[in-house]
Amino acid sequence: MAGNQLSLEERKFVLKCYWKTENAIEVQRRFRREFARSPPMRQNVNKKRPRTSTSPGKEEQVQETLFRSPQKSFQQTARETHISKDSVHRIMKRLHWKCYIPTLIRVLNEDDPDRRVEFCEWYLAKCGEDAGFPCKIVWSDEATFKLNGTINRHNCTYWGPINPHVTLEHHVNLPGVTVLCGISALDIIGPFFINGIVTGERYLNLLQEFVGPQISEMFGDDGEIYFQQDGAPPHYHRDVRAHLDAAFPDTWIGRRDAIEYPARSLDLTPMDFFLWVYLKDKVYRTKPRTIDALKMEIERQCCDIPNDLFRNVCESLGARYQHCLDNNGHQFKHLRT
């Protein structure tokens, strides 16, 4: 059928078969069986699209386009410059440009940097007094896991010859499966699932019935233990604070306590910059379809985290907090410790 033009359906069939088999004879055999007529000739099956020129002029055109609008995708750049997508990719490699993904950060209030500096100075001073201090803190938090609809930063790209350290401010409060976890240098605590809205009463019940006993089992009678939580309203409930005062006298870290944890500081707690990022990446790869499957996957992934990873993360906090001080209390999440 050398002179016959293939329909769209036939072209798709030929491409699919050749991609699977890489055998022109087999493509012809399957085509004859599928469409009950003569298959395309071998030269049509093996025919490749000619490469677009990537001359210096084309390079300048691509570079100028991305300098003007660095968030364009390969497809958008190819369409605007009339160069094939593969050629754009070759040009980007030759120019040593890379695709950088923006970092999501919380918006800080005016006095937040001062609170962040105070907390980092307190932590580093404690480490100066006791080299084992990073192993004495239990960090805790809740997070929402969803079946779909999460922010996908891989769709937010920024092209450039060097990392521009782009950040995206975001305010999110999404529904889904709410999970409470805690981590220390020794191991993970939880996960515990919270049905419905997190209230002070539900949070207190979790602390009394599950979190507290696991902490006691993990640390035994090894002396002074610190418990950290953020300033979410359920954590500030009167009964919750009374319980923490009794369970961790002068050693719990939170809102308006003797040791105050700075608000909107996702880059200062390993729950946010490590655990939730790590878990969501692992859990969402499996694409759970039901809430029960989602819960089972969260539990499985929590059990599979190596203990050495917890210790490494907790021991890296000193360097991270020094970065915060060097940046006068402002966000520094693009820095690597």
Side-chain angles (χ1 to χ4, degrees), residues 96-103 158-167 334-336:
H96 303 292
W97 279 39
K98 297 180 180 179
C99 179
Y100 299 99
I101 300 173
T103 300
Y158 198 103
W159 287 96
I162 59 174
N163 191 343
H165 301 304
V166 179
T167 59
H334 60 275
L335 298 176
R336 295 291 179 245

Side-chain angles (χ1 to χ4, degrees), residues 15-32:
L15 290 173
K16 183 178 179 180
C17 289
Y18 191 74
W19 180 80
K20 288 183 177 180
T21 65
E22 296 186 357
N23 186 307
I25 302 300
E26 179 63 23
V27 172
Q28 292 175 332
R29 185 181 297 114
R30 294 187 182 188
F31 185 93
R32 186 181 295 108

Side-chain angles (χ1 to χ4, degrees), residues 147-158:
L147 293 176
N148 52 42
T150 57
I151 295 176
N152 182 4
R153 291 186 296 121
H154 293 276
N155 290 335
C156 307
T157 58
Y158 198 103

Side-chain angles (χ1 to χ4, degrees), residues 180-197:
L180 169 66
C181 281
I183 64 171
S184 72
L186 302 179
D187 206 346
I188 191 169
I189 295 172
F192 309 110
F193 298 103
I194 303 174
N195 296 322
I197 298 174

